[in-house]
């Protein structure tokens, strides 16, 4: 079996059909200590992603053979832990939301500087580096269990498959259950203290988290007692204590 643990942590898959941009990204990554594989089509990229482990993918949306949104969705479905950063000239909010909903972790609008891209990449990969084992006890909130040491989320003992950012967002809210947490704090804790992107990323991830908890609750024979994620308009979010009445819905407004 191939031993790729050491090298895969810095292996980046670049999916870009523009020769100038592709060469610039490939050279920039290699010049900053990363391994880089550059693919010009979605089909070649999926073949490469399935054959070789990668730490991150830099994905252009305007590919010649398939829309990058579909590639992002496929990559996320096949590898939930993969870091996916979309690079595109599409700047409309609806495109940003579509990319994030498809499973991207981040979104950079062209033109951007290599230094900003590298900073984002370092921040994301740093947060994905496994932490040493800790004795921290799981957080129990009614029928919701958030185990930060094991990176597991359970609803009434049934595991919920959350994306990395969804879990990290839930973990921060759970660690401050009952307290209002500002948007700025959530962006800094879950993404990066020097975040440059749109905070719409937070809203899309939070909506996805709510949806996954709702779906997990709906699959159970009896409604679980889950905390409520409340939106604080113009401020942030709060994970409210478990409602006393059995059968309350897990999501907020």
């Amino acid at each position: 079996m191939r031993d790729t643990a050491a090298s895969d942590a810095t292996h980046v898959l670049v999916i870009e059909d523009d020769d100038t941009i592709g060469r610039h990204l490939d050279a920039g990554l290699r010049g900053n200590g990363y391994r880089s594989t550059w693919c010009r089509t979605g089909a070649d990229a999926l073949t490469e992603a399935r054959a070789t482990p990668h730490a991150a993918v830099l994905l252009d949306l305007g590919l010649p053979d398939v829309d990058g949104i579909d590639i992002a969705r496929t990559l996320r479905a096949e590898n939930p832990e993969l870091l996916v950063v979309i690079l595109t000239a599409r700047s409309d909010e609806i495109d940003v939301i579509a990319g994030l909903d498809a499973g991207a972790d981040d979104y950079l609008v062209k033109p951007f500087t290599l230094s900003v891209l590298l900073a984002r990449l370092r921040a994301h990969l740093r947060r994905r580096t496994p932490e040493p084992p800790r004795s921290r006890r799981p957080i129990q909130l009614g029928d919701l269990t958030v185990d930060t040491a094991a990176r597991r989320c359970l609803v009434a003992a049934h595991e919920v498959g959350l994306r990395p950012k969804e879990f990290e967002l839930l973990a921060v809210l759970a660690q401050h259950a009952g307290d209002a947490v500002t948007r700025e704090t959530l962006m800094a804790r879950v993404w990066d203290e020097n975040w440059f992107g749109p905070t719409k990323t937070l809203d899309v991830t939070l909506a996805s988290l709510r949806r996954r908890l709702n779906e997990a609750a709906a699959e159970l024979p009896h409604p679980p007692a889950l905390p409520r994620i409340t939106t604080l308009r113009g401020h942030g979010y709060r994970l409210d204590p478990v409602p006393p009445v059995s059968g309350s819905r897990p999501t907020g407004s």
Side-chain angles (χ1 to χ4, degrees):
M1 179 180 294
R2 244 175 351 113
D3 183 7
T4 58
S7 58
D8 292 339
T10 61
H11 196 176
V12 179
L13 174 60
V14 178
I15 311 175
E16 171 62 66
D17 68 317
D18 185 284
D19 283 346
T20 300
I21 297 175
R23 282 196 298 269
H24 180 62
L25 290 173
D26 188 60
L29 289 167
R30 293 177 184 276
N32 284 272
Y34 293 94
R35 294 176 60 212
S36 174
T37 300
W38 173 22
C39 294
R40 293 170 173 80
T41 68
D44 287 346
L46 288 179
T47 299
E48 168 64 22
R50 289 161 178 162
T52 308
H54 300 81
V57 171
L58 304 182
L59 171 64
D60 177 37
L61 292 186
L63 299 173
D65 58 335
V66 63
D67 194 292
I69 293 292
D70 294 328
I71 296 295
R73 189 174 291 113
T74 300
L75 289 171
R76 177 59 63 218
E78 295 182 358
N79 188 351
E81 296 298 321
L82 182 65
L83 170 61
V84 179
V85 178
I86 286 178
L87 312 176
T88 183
R90 304 178 192 175
S91 59
D92 290 344
E93 182 177 280
I94 191 169
D95 292 316
V96 176
I97 294 173
L100 295 171
D101 269 344
D105 298 284
D106 202 348
Y107 197 108
L108 273 175
V109 177
K110 301 174 181 176
F112 53 84
T113 64
L114 181 63
S115 60
V116 169
L117 171 61
L118 292 172
R120 293 275 191 94
L121 199 56
R122 287 193 301 271
H124 283 299
L125 293 177
R126 181 173 64 245
R127 292 175 186 277
R128 287 167 181 251
T129 301
E131 297 180 358
R134 294 172 293 177
S135 59
R136 183 182 304 164
R137 294 174 60 85
I139 301 171
Q140 190 73 43
L141 300 167
D143 289 327
L144 175 69
T145 303
V146 181
D147 189 340
T148 57
R151 291 186 67 86
R152 299 179 68 199
C153 170
L154 299 98
V155 170
H158 295 271
E159 187 156 4
V160 182
L162 298 180
R163 295 170 179 165
K165 294 302 180 187
E166 293 167 354
F167 179 84
E168 291 163 18
L169 180 56
L170 177 61
V172 174
L173 291 172
Q175 288 162 357
H176 299 276
D179 296 333
V181 185
T182 67
R183 298 176 67 85
E184 292 77 15
T185 296
L186 291 170
M187 292 302 297
R189 291 280 301 278
V190 177
W191 281 269
D192 179 46
E193 64 272 14
N194 297 312
W195 177 259
F196 299 101
T199 57
K200 191 68 177 178
T201 303
L202 169 60
D203 301 318
V204 172
T205 305
L206 197 289
S208 179
L209 171 60
R210 280 178 171 148
R211 185 169 59 250
R212 289 178 188 276
L213 292 177
N214 265 332
E215 291 171 350
E219 292 177 355
L220 298 175
H222 303 289
L226 298 182
R228 177 187 178 91
I229 302 176
T230 298
T231 300
L232 305 174
R233 305 297 180 185
H235 184 81
Y237 295 94
R238 183 183 64 239
L239 189 64
D240 287 330
V242 177
V245 179
S246 177
S248 296
R249 300 302 299 169
T251 59
S253 59

